[in-house]
Amino acid sequence: MSKLKLHAVSRADFIAKNYADFQTLLDNRVNPDSIPERFYCGGRGGWTFQTTLALKHYYGDDIECSFGSECRADAINLMHNDDFGSRVKPWRGVTVVARADRPPVVGADVVVDQNPEVDGHSNRIFVPYWPQPGVKPRERTDETVKTVAFFGRVDSFPSEYREGNFKQRLAEQGIELRISFDNWTNYQDVDVCISFRKSHDHKLARKPASKLINSWLGKTVMVCDDEPSYRAIRESELDYLIAKNPDEAFEAIMRLKNSPELYRQMREQGDKRLQVYSREAVAARWYALFEDIWRKGLHNRPTLVRALRFGLGKAIRPLTKKF
């Protein structure tokens, strides 16, 4: 089999603004665990350019990587949902489109979803989103619970966890609550992570399980709401403890504090789950997908067939906005 060709596709102005140095990074096979924030804060950078860099780093001897504002006829063209349109000429080559947290994609050759419930549905396949680069894991190896942390955006964290008596109740038990809106990498003295959202609408089903996976990567344990993406990958209670409100969250944290054995089991479970969700494991999934596409020769399909598929998808797309 010839060396497979992967082509990252996005708007020319987006590339010029954010990835003018991309070719140099590809040539150097930069370690994707040390990439700048612009590669993982935002879906276009995360799904398209971070993926391409990671594949070049881990499989550079077997894959030829390029990028541009239009699809290549001789390559697997990888793009974010927002970039899948006539402007990129998607009837060239084969298109792999990351849906991210957008409405369904119609007209692509392969659609990558971040929720495993899609596996086996037509041309849709589950690939986990990349874990947070540069995570500094918990340093202590004991089972004590001294620090609880939230890592995420300020506009998604419910006020009752930072303005009510939740923080005070934890403090009375000798536990610090740390809310980190701008540093998502430092887990060094964190014992328990929490994850809750203001919104509980249908769009949650599109979100990735990133906070859960990052807590495993950070060598901590998770207390969280039972979001669809978390539930979809859950094997047992040892993956995370469920809480629906501050009272239940406090009780779950106290359960961990008072049961070192439960804490230890959950930590060990996190290490086990990283066999599937670590950066290396995600890279292997992507490469297996691209290798399968290349081996089947999907990139050699007639241009007319591709154009008809895309045209149908474009006609149907307005009907999918609410899903």
Side-chain angles (χ1 to χ4, degrees), residues 145-322:
V145 175
K146 299 179 180 178
T147 303
V148 173
F150 170 83
F151 295 92
R153 301 185 186 279
V154 63
D155 57 356
S156 66
F157 192 48
S159 59
E160 57 265 31
Y161 290 91
R162 48 192 170 111
E163 296 175 1
N165 64 356
F166 179 65
K167 183 175 183 178
Q168 179 60 35
R169 292 178 71 187
L170 290 176
E172 290 171 356
Q173 299 296 324
I175 301 173
E176 176 192 357
L177 175 63
R178 181 176 305 159
I179 302 172
S180 186
F181 294 137
D182 54 6
N183 183 340
W184 299 350
T185 61
N186 189 2
Y187 291 72
Q188 289 175 292
D189 58 350
V190 174
D191 307 304
V192 178
C193 290
I194 58 174
S195 175
F196 302 99
R197 295 184 192 269
K198 292 179 181 177
S199 172
H200 290 81
D201 61 21
H202 68 282
K203 294 180 181 179
L204 276 183
R206 307 176 188 172
K207 298 292 184 181
S210 294
K211 288 186 177 64
L212 176 60
I213 294 169
N214 290 338
S215 77
W216 295 336
L217 192 64
K219 308 296 184 183
T220 70
V221 303
M222 176 68 86
V223 173
C224 58
D225 201 349
D226 197 26
E227 291 188 14
S229 60
Y230 296 174
R231 186 167 60 249
I233 68 171
R234 195 183 198 212
E235 290 186 344
S236 72
E237 183 187 52
L238 296 180
D239 285 324
Y240 59 87
L241 300 183
I242 299 172
K244 298 291 187 179
N245 54 56
D247 287 339
E248 292 184 5
F250 176 78
E251 291 171 4
I253 293 166
M254 292 309 299
R255 183 180 171 196
L256 290 166
K257 178 178 174 63
N258 296 325
S259 178
E261 178 61 16
L262 174 62
Y263 188 94
R264 182 188 63 77
Q265 290 176 344
M266 292 185 70
R267 272 283 304 105
E268 292 177 350
Q269 175 74 355
D271 286 342
K272 172 191 170 187
R273 300 309 307 279
L274 285 177
Q275 295 174 16
V276 175
Y277 295 101
S278 68
R279 184 167 298 278
E280 292 85 350
V282 174
R285 279 183 182 245
W286 276 109
Y287 187 75
L289 169 62
F290 294 144
E291 189 177 42
D292 184 58
I293 292 171
W294 197 257
R295 183 173 59 251
K296 291 177 178 177
L298 297 184
H299 56 294
N300 294 321
R301 285 179 178 173
T303 300
L304 178 59
V305 173
R306 297 181 176 287
L308 290 173
R309 177 198 285 259
F310 173 75
L312 177 62
K314 188 174 182 180
I316 295 174
R317 188 174 178 87
L319 304 177
T320 70
K321 294 295 185 182
K322 64 180 181 179

Side-chain angles (χ1 to χ4, degrees), residues 15-16 18-27 36 38-39 67:
I15 295 173
N18 298 283
Y19 302 107
D21 59 345
F22 194 61
Q23 186 61 56
T24 299
L25 295 173
L26 282 175
D27 293 342
R38 56 195 159 95
F39 281 91
F67 63 102

